[in-house]
Amino acid sequence: MTFDSHSLERLKELGRKLPKELSKPQSNELKIQKKEKNQKLHPVEIETNPEQLFRELMEISPDGNVPPHLLERLKKLESNNVKISSNSGPQINENSKDLSAEDALNLYTQFQQFLLEDDID
């Protein structure tokens, strides 16, 4: 495509008037955005103790419905915990609340019942 001299001059003039390219965000700004995103996460999203995660799931779910990705996360944490405990023996977790074995068993039983009810639907 060819332009006459008048059109070519006009294009060059318009090119000079165009705004400059917007600057890219600084790496510090990206780090701040990531920190803010991490701060907004719910404890269920960052909990690493399977027992505490289970308690958090039960607290936020009044009817026992838990999203599948959180159930998968709980299963992975429990399997990792079983592997670790079988390799290193019993461990004391300072972050977990003191529950009797009976209370913990009741919570797991209720959770299992909710899962079974969900499978029926």
Side-chain angles (χ1 to χ4, degrees):
M1 176 181 231
T2 58
F3 295 104
D4 62 3
S5 61
H6 178 68
S7 296
L8 189 57
E9 279 299 317
R10 179 79 175 128
L11 282 174
K12 288 180 181 178
E13 183 181 325
L14 286 173
R16 288 184 216 112
K17 292 180 180 178
L18 289 174
K20 300 286 185 193
E21 182 179 327
L22 297 175
S23 63
K24 306 271 180 185
Q26 300 283 336
S27 62
N28 289 339
E29 291 177 14
L30 291 175
K31 290 178 184 178
I32 291 171
Q33 289 173 353
K34 286 181 182 180
K35 285 181 183 179
E36 288 175 358
K37 184 178 179 182
N38 287 340
Q39 290 174 353
K40 294 177 184 176
L41 291 177
H42 192 277
V44 170
E45 298 291 335
I46 57 174
E47 183 62 52
T48 57
N49 179 359
E51 291 176 7
Q52 187 62 32
L53 176 59
F54 175 77
R55 287 186 194 97
E56 292 289 336
L57 289 173
M58 291 298 97
E59 287 177 14
I60 64 170
S61 177
D63 63 349
N65 290 329
V66 179
H69 72 280
L70 292 175
L71 286 177
E72 286 299 318
R73 190 164 176 276
L74 178 63
K75 288 178 184 178
K76 286 180 184 177
L77 287 174
E78 285 179 336
S79 66
N80 289 343
N81 198 21
V82 168
K83 289 176 186 175
I84 291 171
S85 64
S86 66
N87 291 338
S88 64
Q91 294 179 350
I92 298 173
N93 189 346
E94 297 172 3
N95 293 334
S96 65
K97 297 177 183 174
D98 293 329
L99 279 182
S100 68
E102 184 178 339
D103 289 340
L105 182 60
N106 286 337
L107 284 174
Y108 273 94
T109 303
Q110 289 175 353
F111 183 67
Q112 186 65 31
Q113 288 173 347
F114 286 134
L115 289 177
L116 290 174
E117 290 172 4
D118 190 44
D119 287 343
I120 292 172
D121 296 334

